[in-house]
Amino acid sequence: MTIYHPSYGGFTTSYVELIQHVANHGTYHRGNLTAMLRQLGHQGIMIMFLICLK
């Protein structure tokens, strides 16, 4: 699959790499959210992808 970005141009990737990117990107944001909550004094919570799908 070829993806085009107006600022960065086009590049070719596979569907597997695209799906891996989406899953990892979600993990990145869940980690950021947990870090921000801890900085505000909240206790860490279990954030697991499979639980989020329920």
Side-chain angles (χ1 to χ4, degrees):
M1 136 192 312
T2 300
I3 298 173
Y4 178 77
H5 187 278
S7 297
Y8 304 113
F11 64 94
T12 302
T13 188
S14 68
Y15 285 105
V16 171
E17 289 175 335
L18 186 61
I19 291 168
Q20 286 175 334
H21 168 75
V22 170
N24 287 333
H25 194 73
T27 301
Y28 171 79
H29 284 291
R30 287 192 302 276
N32 280 345
L33 177 61
T34 300
M36 285 188 267
L37 288 172
R38 287 181 179 161
Q39 288 173 354
L40 293 172
H42 297 278
Q43 185 177 13
I45 58 171
M46 168 65 97
I47 299 179
M48 186 175 180
F49 182 67
L50 295 177
I51 294 172
C52 293
L53 293 177
K54 285 187 171 187

